[in-house]
Amino acid sequence: MNFARQEHNQAIQKPASKRRLLKVAALTAALGLLLSAAPGVQAAHSPLHSKMFDLSAPASTLIQDKELHNGTVLQSFAFDNVNQHIYLVQLMAGGQQLPGETAPVSGAARDLNGDLALTKLDMSGNELGYMFLKGFGHGVQIGVETVGDTAYLWTETDSVPGSDNHGWGTQLARFAFEDGKVLTPSSPELEKFSPVEGADRTTVNIDPANGLLTMRYRIDNAFRYGVYELAKVKQHVYEPIADVPQPSVGTFQGFASYGGYLYLLEGTSYGSSGSTAPVGNTYITAVNLGTGAVADKQLISAGNSLTFREPEGMAIHLPNAKHPQKAELSFGFASSFTPLRLANIYSLNRLLPEQAIKHCEND
């Protein structure tokens, strides 16, 4: 009888103990949620938290007057920060005949079709290889993602002709660099992404320090910037952590993002749209990705000894990929004259203290 009663009591206690454990687990989870929401509690690091580059600081020269695979104007560039290479795109030069083409193609036809030349340089500006990208777009901005020794290019693709006689991309593409390769939008080497359905004028930049992808796109005739976690985009999961409108700028020439700030490049070459030597009209605008507010805008004097000097493209350079906090904001200029345009890249590496950023944003 006593043994039977003991076994009966144990049978009652087992589910009661299980219920208590479940209750404790639930309370612990609820407490965790409350703590994470409470003011002053340390939260996980946000990829949008960063200092802002000092746009008024003097810029250093990375490469100057370097030839690319074609003699056309540099459009944009990006860095392989692991292997320390530079990838640059430009519109394909006229007069070239690629495999499968029946005759040489004019430069105007290449532009309308969105045909690009991609050049790989070392950090001294020496050519290491090239690719041709037929039907991709205008090359306004590109990105590079490095996986081991392989550089994956992120570009626009599926170009459609615009009323301005340029071709413009409508999707994003990811592909590995392969020297001498010719790709089209239907090439099996491409993986395509459409973060915003119905968008066009899609261009892309990679923030290698924070693992982010920023896409510039046009929808309802207005330009916007969506920021995504790169790892999720590669899984075709499109959950923007920021999405801001483009503020008023002059002639747009490229963009890059670093943490919580977006940087926009604008301007024209000497002799056009009121740009005169040596001052020019090249500006960089910093935008707070959390609010969409303009944090700063500065006239850029770097490269003012260049001939022609048209601003083209931006990218984040990490001189040491193991120390992503030591980043540089790089921007390019095309120089010299047809038939041989040359490429130039300059960098800003000073980050403002937090209080200085707040001051700029409040001005």
Side-chain angles (χ1 to χ4, degrees):
M1 290 287 294
N2 290 339
F3 287 126
R5 188 179 294 111
Q6 184 178 7
E7 289 174 356
H8 177 70
N9 290 340
Q10 288 175 345
I12 294 172
Q13 290 171 357
K14 284 180 180 178
S17 298
K18 187 176 181 180
R19 284 195 298 270
R20 281 195 297 272
L21 289 172
L22 290 171
K23 187 175 181 181
V24 169
L27 288 171
T28 301
L31 181 60
L33 289 172
L34 288 170
L35 286 172
S36 65
V41 174
Q42 187 71 25
H45 174 72
S46 167
L48 291 183
H49 178 77
S50 70
K51 295 180 179 180
M52 188 179 79
F53 284 102
D54 183 356
L55 305 182
S56 65
S60 59
T61 304
L62 190 60
I63 62 170
Q64 186 166 325
D65 289 334
K66 299 299 180 180
E67 293 186 28
L68 302 182
H69 192 72
N70 278 185
T72 53
V73 167
L74 160 71
Q75 290 290 96
S76 63
F77 63 96
F79 295 96
D80 174 347
N81 290 296
V82 176
N83 301 299
Q84 292 297 300
H85 296 141
I86 316 172
Y87 292 86
L88 309 94
V89 290
Q90 53 192 149
L91 296 177
M92 277 188 64
Q96 298 179 93
Q97 182 178 349
L98 300 185
E101 297 175 346
T102 58
V105 180
S106 70
R110 294 291 188 193
D111 190 357
L112 186 63
N113 192 54
D115 295 349
L116 303 174
L118 170 69
T119 306
K120 177 182 179 180
L121 301 181
D122 64 19
M123 295 304 295
S124 297
N126 302 302
E127 182 174 342
L128 302 176
Y130 72 95
M131 295 179 73
F132 288 120
L133 314 175
K134 294 179 59 179
F136 275 58
H138 201 62
V140 173
Q141 194 59 62
I142 64 170
V144 170
E145 172 203 358
T146 311
V147 181
D149 293 332
T150 303
Y152 287 90
L153 278 296
W154 285 83
T155 68
E156 63 196 294
T157 190
D158 287 29
S159 178
V160 296
S163 59
D164 53 4
N165 296 321
H166 302 309
W168 302 95
T170 57
Q171 294 193 72
L172 301 184
R174 177 183 185 263
F175 58 91
F177 178 82
E178 187 176 346
D179 187 23
K181 191 81 171 182
V182 179
L183 297 180
T184 70
S186 60
S187 296
E189 292 89 347
L190 264 65
E191 185 176 5
K192 297 182 185 181
F193 305 84
S194 297
V196 180
E197 291 296 331
D200 67 358
R201 305 284 178 109
T202 53
T203 49
V204 62
N205 189 269
I206 302 296
D207 174 356
N210 296 285
L212 300 177
L213 177 150
T214 301
M215 181 178 76
R216 180 182 190 248
Y217 64 96
R218 188 179 70 171
I219 197 161
D220 297 329
N221 210 35
F223 282 103
R224 299 187 65 87
Y225 297 82
V227 183
Y228 304 82
E229 294 180 42
L230 176 59
K232 288 187 176 181
V233 173
K234 289 165 61 176
Q235 297 170 358
H236 296 271
V237 176
Y238 307 129
E239 298 171 345
I241 59 176
D243 193 286
V244 297
Q246 178 174 292
S248 177
V249 294
T251 302
F252 182 82
Q253 299 286 14
F255 71 96
S257 70
Y258 177 72
Y261 290 89
L262 171 71
Y263 300 91
L264 310 177
L265 182 68
E266 65 176 88
T268 56
S269 61
Y270 291 146
S272 60
S273 300
S275 178
T276 57
V279 177
N281 62 358
T282 297
Y283 288 86
I284 295 179
T285 299
V287 178
N288 185 316
L289 283 167
T291 64
V294 170
D296 195 15
K297 183 172 184 174
Q298 296 288 339
L299 179 69
I300 302 301
S301 61
N304 59 9
S305 64
L306 298 174
T307 58
F308 184 72
R309 191 183 180 263
E310 183 175 12
E312 301 284 1
M314 302 190 81
I316 297 300
H317 178 222
L318 306 180
N320 186 336
K322 294 181 180 179
H323 298 284
Q325 71 278 8
K326 296 181 179 179
E328 297 178 352
L329 177 65
S330 298
F331 51 95
F333 287 102
S335 64
S336 196
F337 301 97
T338 302
L340 186 60
R341 304 288 192 182
L342 301 175
N344 307 266
I345 299 176
Y346 299 86
S347 294
L348 299 170
N349 61 11
R350 182 172 181 266
L351 288 163
L352 291 169
E354 296 286 347
Q355 60 270 22
I357 296 171
K358 291 176 183 176
H359 176 71
C360 288
E361 290 172 353
N362 292 331
D363 284 347

